[in-house]
Amino acid sequence: MSKFADLGLKEPISKALVDLGYETPTVIQEKAIPQILSSTEDLKAFAQTGTGKTAAFSLPIVELADDQDNSTQAIILSPTRELAVQIGKNIEDFSKYLPKLKVATVYGGANIEQQIRQLKKGAQIVIGTPGRTVDLIRRRALKLGNVKWLVLDEADEMLNMGFKEELDKVLDATPETKQTLLFSATFPREVEAIARNYMHNPVEVTSGQKNQGSDNVTHEYYLVSERSRYPALKRIADINPNIYAIVFCRTRRETQEVADKLIQDGYNADSLHGDLSQAQRDSVMDKFRKKNIQMLVATDVAARGLDVDNLTHVINHKLPDQIENYNHRSGRTGRAGNKGISVVLVNRKERGKLNPIERILKKKFIENSIPTGKEICEKQLFHLIDRVENSEVNTSEIDSYLPNIYDKLKDFSREELIQKFVSLEFNSFLSYYENAPDLNKMSNDRERGGSRNGRMPSENMTRFFINLGRKDRLNPAKLMGLINEQGINNNVEIGAIDILDTFSFFEIDKNFESQTLDAFSSNSPEFNGRRVNIEITKERKGGGRRRGGNGGGSRRRNGDNNASGGFGRSRNNSNKKSFPKNDNNKSRNSRRPRRR
Ligand code: AMP
């Protein structure tokens, strides 16, 4: 009998768990399952992805739901379609020997009529993304009057994505008597506010220390300049020939740019972000799961639904806007008992952002120097030799050619043959790296540009001043929401956001400069009762800007959760990693005398 039965689960469920190969409950399951089974008290659970949290809240619901009653008894809200589908599949697996228990998964970007028909047939357990759930409630297709359990999965992520209003609406549509189960990897103020406002004296359970990352993850950082950020990423990949990593970026544009460069440079990489159609995203995720892609460049949101247990690295090409999200990212590695490395690329200004992360993690980042060309060549060379040593020889396939080959090479000694073979395989790598600069020196150079009093806007961006700040309860998500509401253009790129106490700054794609001014002036929006004013920040003589901002960040684009299609993508990946182009932009084959 599985140890799950000891937690009080009935036979059909224990049997399904045996089929799934679940033997021992994880920490969060051990704590949450008996609690939910034995009490109707609300529950606040600190759990990251990979801890087994889905089963922790689903199994008690499957156990307790009344399969004789067709009404919806459990509503599970999840931030993304992928995660919702994954939860739905898990619950179907858990309830496979309970045929009367029906599960429906509803999410945006799919045919709503079909989902309405499915709900009409009756589903005791409904999993939904917030927007679609509210839509279905509004159409009276989803009735939550009999709900006994409301699960908020990855509550922090739902709030990050700006779903606060939707959460409020779903919470309002459920009866007071329900049991609320809130699962979150981090508990920033907004999540605590949900817990305070909608839960009654919740019991707290945790799969580890609050917000603390996995013990199996080492945290490292590399100091880069903007010029060396991408070359440093390539070198990290080159020094780890077996890398299997997610490279996190903050915006869709950054994601696509980094992925395009990696692909162009011959890496086995691809991108995952909200500009791709669902079919494209499914295909990329499938390839990544099968390891046909070694490096997946992704936005935080798009990577949420990806369930991969054996990543060697998580790479933060740029740190996330909210430091709590670092935990989410780094938690993608070091799962299921594996060790993992979370790498951060930071410039001098960004380095300070590591301090609060260290306090949350209760761990220090290790500073690493960017590998030199020589170190990479050495590593790659021995990797090649290891592969030779361990390769299996299938003589039956090459038998017929061997006599001719032996004959052709008979005049070379063993040493000469090894030298020739290594040169053949390795010369392009050596020549690629022979004149490569020391990127650590580049990173220590002062960044060019910038100003003392304020940040220069990124290239092609216009920096705006706005008369709202922290005191008005403005945060980056709300500011993005406010900008979106002005109807400037669906594709307008929003850049760095700096929220200060009484005012803030944001960047907008230069091409939309006048449209942004016009939209704000004709809409005259208000925010928390204040009339909103924006103006373009002016250059000062000497490069300073009129109003100063601090803080980091680069471009972002509105939202990342709508799966609109139509993005032209190159598809020339082969399963084989070829040699990268030189950091110096010199041709791979340009041979120059070594300067050492
Ligand atoms: P989750 O944190 O819910 O996303 O789960 C992470 C992974 O662990 C999923 O692939 C689950 O199927 C798997 N898993 C969850 N609980 C167990 C368990 N008790 N034993 C084995 N695998 C599990």
Side-chain angles (χ1 to χ4, degrees):
M1 213 201 288
S2 98
K3 294 195 186 114
F4 277 95
D6 301 340
L7 297 181
L9 297 171
K10 55 194 170 197
E11 220 275 319
I13 301 177
S14 305
K15 198 167 154 208
L17 293 175
V18 171
D19 292 353
L20 287 171
Y22 287 22
E23 287 173 6
T24 322
T26 64
V27 176
I28 193 72
Q29 290 162 2
E30 222 160 22
K31 291 182 181 174
I33 294 172
Q35 171 63 31
I36 305 170
L37 287 177
S38 63
S39 154
T40 53
E41 281 174 304
D42 290 341
L43 180 97
K44 213 170 124 183
F46 298 85
Q48 315 201 11
T49 39
T51 53
K53 65 183 169 61
T54 313
F57 61 74
S58 305
L59 289 173
I61 293 175
V62 173
E63 169 79 28
L64 298 172
D66 179 359
D67 60 3
Q68 306 299 315
D69 172 2
N70 262 348
S71 66
T72 299
Q73 295 159 46
I75 173 79
I76 300 167
L77 290 183
S78 121
T80 63
R81 167 193 165 133
E82 285 82 11
L83 189 59
V85 169
Q86 198 179 303
I87 296 169
K89 265 201 219 135
N90 280 342
I91 298 180
E92 274 168 16
D93 288 340
F94 300 150
S95 59
K96 73 187 225 198
Y97 297 114
L98 296 166
K100 288 194 180 140
L101 200 66
K102 300 268 174 355
V103 182
T105 308
V106 295
Y107 42 81
N111 186 325
I112 198 164
E113 297 302 330
Q114 219 170 322
Q115 293 175 356
I116 292 173
R117 279 197 295 279
Q118 197 188 359
L119 289 172
K120 283 216 169 107
K121 282 190 215 151
Q124 291 93 346
I125 302 176
V126 175
I127 305 105
T129 49
R132 180 54 60 97
T133 303
V134 169
D135 207 353
L136 289 163
I137 294 171
R138 209 180 295 126
R139 291 172 187 235
R140 299 183 192 288
L142 179 60
K143 300 198 173 79
L144 300 182
N146 280 340
V147 157
K148 291 185 188 148
W149 302 277
L150 166 73
V151 181
L152 303 175
D153 189 25
E154 307 210 348
D156 48 353
E157 200 55 37
M158 286 198 276
L159 293 175
N160 275 342
M161 289 168 66
F163 284 132
K164 165 93 176 61
E165 218 173 284
E166 284 82 358
L167 292 197
D168 288 342
K169 283 189 180 140
V170 178
L171 283 153
D172 282 345
T174 53
E176 268 288 299
T177 49
K178 71 184 174 288
Q179 183 176 21
T180 303
L181 312 172
L182 184 148
F183 281 71
S184 201
T186 58
F187 274 74
R189 255 182 323 189
E190 296 82 356
V191 179
E192 288 293 359
I194 292 257
R196 236 188 351 267
N197 297 338
Y198 290 101
M199 299 171 84
H200 309 288
N201 301 323
V203 174
E204 284 189 18
V205 292
T206 162
S207 62
Q209 271 186 294
K210 284 182 196 178
N211 293 346
Q212 203 180 315
S214 155
D215 279 343
N216 289 334
V217 182
T218 314
H219 302 266
E220 299 178 355
Y221 78 92
Y222 293 83
L223 198 57
V224 297
S225 66
E226 281 325 295
R227 274 181 305 152
S228 69
R229 193 181 289 271
Y230 174 69
L233 172 66
K234 288 200 300 180
R235 292 203 188 177
I236 293 165
D238 287 343
I239 197 93
N240 292 288
N242 288 326
I243 195 165
Y244 181 42
I246 301 181
V247 180
F248 279 101
C249 295
R250 291 169 58 248
T251 66
R252 291 186 252 191
R253 180 185 280 192
E254 181 193 332
T255 304
Q256 193 62 50
E257 280 172 1
V258 173
D260 283 348
K261 280 200 248 178
L262 286 171
I263 294 166
Q264 221 175 15
D265 286 345
Y267 290 84
N268 189 8
D270 213 332
S271 62
L272 186 68
H273 55 73
D275 271 344
L276 308 182
S277 70
Q278 189 59 43
Q280 285 173 321
R281 284 199 278 173
D282 289 345
S283 152
V284 173
M285 286 198 263
D286 191 46
K287 281 191 204 151
F288 188 59
R289 280 191 203 100
K290 290 179 178 151
K291 289 201 174 177
N292 292 339
I293 294 169
Q294 264 186 291
M295 279 195 288
L296 183 69
V297 191
T299 55
D300 293 282
V301 173
R304 301 302 286 161
L306 196 59
D307 191 25
V308 179
D309 282 340
N310 48 356
L311 294 183
T312 59
H313 292 75
V314 157
I315 299 179
N316 293 264
H317 181 256
K318 292 261 177 84
L319 276 171
D321 286 327
Q322 282 175 307
I323 53 167
E324 288 84 4
N325 275 351
Y326 176 81
N327 236 346
H328 271 304
R329 290 182 174 184
S330 61
R332 309 309 299 259
T333 185
R335 295 172 62 159
N338 299 317
K339 296 268 179 220
I341 299 173
S342 176
V343 168
V344 186
L345 304 179
V346 279
N347 62 28
R348 291 195 162 277
K349 278 192 205 155
E350 294 163 339
R351 187 160 55 177
K353 291 185 178 178
L354 299 179
N355 301 333
I357 299 178
E358 287 180 334
R359 282 196 289 277
I360 291 174
L361 294 172
K362 296 196 171 61
K363 268 186 188 176
K364 286 272 174 211
F365 278 89
I366 299 164
E367 182 176 357
N368 263 351
S369 30
I370 304 167
T372 61
K374 187 163 181 263
E375 286 164 342
I376 291 171
C377 287
E378 224 173 85
K379 185 74 183 257
Q380 289 281 355
L381 184 56
F382 283 97
H383 180 66
L384 171 70
I385 304 303
D386 282 346
R387 276 174 47 216
V388 172
E389 195 181 356
N390 297 323
S391 68
E392 268 182 40
V393 177
N394 189 347
T395 43
S396 63
E397 297 224 333
I398 51 174
D399 250 354
S400 57
Y401 307 105
L402 284 175
N404 271 346
I405 296 173
Y406 292 146
D407 188 50
K408 230 171 153 16
L409 300 176
K410 66 177 185 306
D411 294 332
F412 296 106
S413 68
R414 175 178 177 273
E415 281 69 26
E416 281 171 330
L417 279 177
I418 293 175
Q419 284 160 13
K420 277 188 176 291
F421 159 76
V422 169
S423 303
L424 184 70
E425 273 288 310
F426 209 63
N427 269 356
S428 47
F429 228 106
L430 286 172
S431 69
Y432 167 64
Y433 271 119
E434 73 177 344
N435 290 316
D438 182 349
L439 295 184
N440 298 294
K441 285 202 184 123
M442 253 163 101
S443 309
N444 286 326
D445 289 348
R446 280 192 167 278
E447 294 278 343
R448 271 184 276 153
S451 71
R452 266 186 304 130
N453 300 323
R455 192 132 54 81
M456 295 288 281
S458 321
E459 219 183 317
N460 304 324
M461 301 300 262
T462 298
R463 188 163 165 87
F464 283 86
F465 161 86
I466 184 165
N467 65 330
L468 301 171
R470 258 181 237 117
K471 287 205 169 118
D472 304 289
R473 319 197 69 163
L474 187 73
N475 60 29
K478 284 185 185 156
L479 178 52
M480 285 172 77
L482 183 66
I483 298 167
N484 288 341
E485 282 164 16
Q486 306 318 310
I488 302 163
N489 183 298
N490 276 345
N491 288 320
V492 68
E493 176 96 17
I494 304 173
I497 288 179
D498 294 320
I499 307 282
L500 300 168
D501 272 354
T502 52
F503 56 89
S504 305
F505 297 95
F506 61 91
E507 291 177 0
I508 292 276
D509 185 341
K510 258 199 172 60
N511 298 319
F512 295 100
E513 188 180 288
S514 54
Q515 274 167 271
T516 306
L517 282 174
D518 291 349
F520 272 89
S521 104
S522 60
N523 297 341
S524 304
E526 288 196 353
F527 185 84
N528 284 346
R530 278 193 67 188
R531 178 75 169 274
V532 179
N533 269 319
I534 64 161
E535 51 184 280
I536 295 176
T537 56
K538 303 265 182 350
E539 289 280 352
R540 263 190 196 166
K541 273 191 184 153
R545 299 191 77 76
R546 201 155 59 89
R547 313 221 197 212
N550 56 10
S554 64
R555 296 170 189 189
R556 67 185 90 198
R557 194 183 283 243
N558 307 359
D560 195 24
N561 49 333
N562 63 339
S564 62
F567 201 92
R569 327 188 56 224
S570 73
R571 279 270 164 265
N572 57 352
N573 291 345
S574 73
N575 200 3
K576 195 169 132 247
K577 184 173 153 197
S578 56
F579 298 122
K581 284 190 196 134
N582 195 299
D583 298 340
N584 276 342
N585 294 330
K586 282 179 202 129
S587 131
R588 212 184 280 167
N589 297 320
S590 68
R591 297 203 54 91
R592 288 161 187 240
R594 271 170 194 266
R595 271 192 247 126
R596 282 223 180 108

